Amino acid sequence: MEEAGSLTAAIIVAGGIGARARQADMTDLPKQYQMLAGQPVIAHTLQAFLASPDIDIAQPVIAAGAEEIYQQAVAGLENEKLLPPVTGGATRQQSVRHGLEALHGRGVSRVLVHDAARPFVTNQITGNVIRALTEHKAVIAAVPVTSTLKKVSHGTGIITDTVDRDSVWQAQTPQGFDYEELRHLHGKYHDLELTDDAALFEHDGQSVAICQGDARNIKITLPEDFDLAESFMRMTQTYEFRTGQGFDVHRFETGDGVTLCGITIPHDRKLKGHSDADVAMHALTDAILGAIGEGDIGFHFPPSDPQWRGASSKVFLEKACDLVRARRGQLTHCDLTIICEQPKVNPHRDEMRATLAEIMNCDLDRISVKATTTEKLGFTGREEGISALATATVKLPEGAQA
Ligand code: MG
């Protein structure tokens, strides 16, 4: 690392409460470790800094006891910019100080301090802070206040004044600083408890500039903030579409009916198979598993396992749909073709679609069921068995981990 220092670092403060972080109950986790659009909040935040061309290294600061939950949250984010986490202190101020000390000797000239619970930080905001740092030693992202603000007297609940809105800004993070100066002030005022890092400069009589933040750069503080965050995520999240295919064949044997798409159709034979031999549902399940690269039915439900003997194929399809949901994906469309001479499928198509829609928990118009014959040719033509073909398209959030 350079001696003089030319790097820009980001300290991501994820202090939280370590004791609570150790509990298994997700609802008790600090906000930065809770899930947002399929990923922990802190993973979104770190990704934003790791993807920023203006940031050279990122230093997370976590609570004592939160090591394990942190490692789970950032699995897959390994990157040469991302330093191992350091343990914070009893207050936010102490935590930032630990982060600053950890960066000492790494050639850092500028440092941005950011809340882990602000996942909507953008390259634009980070860039605004860093550009302003060429002229100022301390800069914070902020947004103008749009609401009318009233001063209210304590106790009486009576308005004493209307605040001039033009002079009031709402502070956000990142807050950017000259690294050595911030480190110096943290040492100098370590016995004072101040709201944020900008307050150290203010307390020292130094000027702090503001630059344009973003109204969407919210800090997730209350449970209800997740609703707003999810809707922001929907606006900013990009998706990719993947298509999978499935194919299956089952032969006829002595019996009195076949199961296709969960519907039992009376017939003079039945399909042979380990489960209920629902050839159509098997093809569809494989198509969905194929779209998300999750192997095939045989991988998840080995035929050698006696527990699947005579099982309803509904279990397989539900599993495939659960795997899509686990990746915050959505089944966009599936198309199924059943190939046989007998029994006639068309009279049952609507019931088949409705049954699949219910099992898959999706809209009817996302499911297509078709039937065809092979003009008496081949094994289906000779009525030795039934085959089925399927495609499935799923929409997956880009950047989400499997
Ligand atoms: Mg099969």
Side-chain angles (χ1 to χ4, degrees):
M1 292 290 172
E2 302 98 306
E3 196 51 38
S6 62
L7 299 185
T8 303
I11 292 177
I12 314 300
V13 189
I17 302 149
R20 284 209 318 203
R22 280 195 294 272
Q23 292 186 7
D25 183 358
M26 283 296 286
T27 56
D28 257 5
L29 286 179
K31 299 289 178 286
Q32 63 268 25
Y33 295 114
Q34 290 189 29
M35 298 299 273
L36 172 64
Q39 284 194 94
V41 169
I42 190 173
H44 290 287
T45 309
L46 283 170
Q47 264 168 357
F49 282 100
L50 297 177
S52 167
D54 296 316
I55 300 297
D56 298 305
I57 43 176
Q59 175 62 70
V61 183
I62 63 173
E67 292 79 8
E68 201 178 319
I69 186 125
Y70 171 82
Q71 291 304 341
Q72 284 168 10
V74 303
L77 284 187
E78 291 78 11
N79 184 301
E80 58 185 14
K81 283 187 181 185
L82 182 60
L83 300 176
V86 293
T87 306
T91 63
R92 185 183 190 282
Q93 197 171 329
Q94 285 175 25
S95 292
V96 173
R97 197 173 174 206
H98 290 190
L100 289 167
E101 291 311 316
L103 289 172
H104 187 58
R106 286 187 173 272
V108 172
S109 63
R110 296 174 297 193
V111 63
L112 271 57
V113 180
H114 187 74
D115 304 320
R118 283 188 198 268
F120 295 103
V121 58
T122 59
N123 286 353
Q124 173 91 47
I125 306 172
T126 305
N128 290 347
V129 174
I130 291 171
R131 266 191 306 281
L133 275 178
T134 55
E135 282 183 47
H136 305 275
K137 279 192 168 181
V139 177
I140 73 168
V143 287
V145 170
T146 51
S147 309
T148 298
L149 296 180
K150 302 287 187 187
K151 266 193 170 164
V152 177
S153 121
H154 270 302
T156 67
I158 302 295
I159 292 169
T160 55
D161 202 3
T162 297
V163 179
D164 173 18
R165 218 163 43 191
D166 292 342
S167 68
V168 183
W169 287 64
Q170 199 178 332
Q172 300 186 332
T173 70
Q175 303 195 342
F177 307 97
D178 176 278
Y179 169 75
E180 287 302 344
E181 189 62 24
L182 182 64
R183 188 165 165 259
H184 165 70
L185 294 178
H186 264 277
K188 186 172 175 185
Y189 298 118
H190 71 273
D191 50 351
L192 287 181
E193 221 175 288
L194 297 163
T195 337
D196 60 6
D197 297 279
L200 288 165
F201 280 74
E202 296 164 42
H203 187 79
D204 199 55
Q206 300 193 47
S207 66
V208 180
I210 56 160
C211 70
Q212 191 67 46
D214 190 319
R216 282 193 203 169
N217 181 27
I218 58 167
K219 182 173 182 180
I220 300 177
T221 311
L222 303 168
E224 51 266 37
D225 293 339
F226 276 94
D227 294 337
L228 189 60
E230 288 282 352
S231 68
F232 286 165
M233 209 43 95
R234 275 196 293 276
M235 286 189 270
T236 53
Q237 176 73 59
T238 54
Y239 293 90
E240 60 181 293
F241 289 84
R242 296 189 189 179
T243 301
Q245 60 170 348
F247 175 70
D248 198 21
V249 173
H250 282 255
R251 67 165 65 236
F252 282 124
E253 64 177 11
T254 314
D256 57 4
V258 296
T259 303
L260 292 172
C261 299
I263 305 293
T264 303
I265 303 172
H267 191 49
D268 56 4
R269 278 164 293 171
K270 74 181 187 75
L271 290 173
K272 181 178 159 75
H274 192 68
S275 62
D276 62 5
D278 191 332
V279 61
M281 215 180 271
H282 294 180
L284 178 55
T285 303
D286 268 356
I288 296 169
L289 292 172
I292 55 172
E294 285 278 1
D296 56 21
I297 292 188
F299 173 77
H300 294 281
F301 304 94
S304 54
D305 188 337
Q307 67 167 310
W308 311 120
R309 182 165 300 148
S312 165
S313 299
K314 181 182 163 181
V315 179
F316 310 154
L317 184 57
E318 280 171 346
K319 169 77 177 181
C321 292
D322 284 348
L323 288 170
V324 172
R325 269 176 223 117
R327 296 180 54 165
R328 303 289 291 185
Q330 194 194 346
L331 185 88
T332 305
H333 182 253
C334 62
D335 187 17
L336 184 60
T337 303
I338 301 169
I339 306 162
C340 61
E341 300 290 333
Q342 294 291 340
K344 290 297 170 206
V345 168
N346 277 335
H348 305 283
R349 274 184 2 159
D350 288 345
E351 196 185 348
M352 288 175 169
R353 291 176 67 211
T355 304
L356 293 176
E358 181 158 353
I359 295 168
M360 299 163 79
N361 193 19
C362 73
D363 299 332
L364 198 59
D365 71 350
R366 296 186 185 279
I367 299 170
S368 156
V369 175
K370 310 195 300 297
T372 189
T373 70
T374 48
E375 298 281 328
K376 307 273 182 197
L377 296 170
F379 68 87
T380 50
R382 292 189 298 273
E383 299 188 36
E384 294 166 6
I386 298 180
S387 64
L389 285 166
T391 60
T393 304
V394 298
K395 177 178 151 185
L396 293 174
E398 270 177 329
Q401 303 302 313

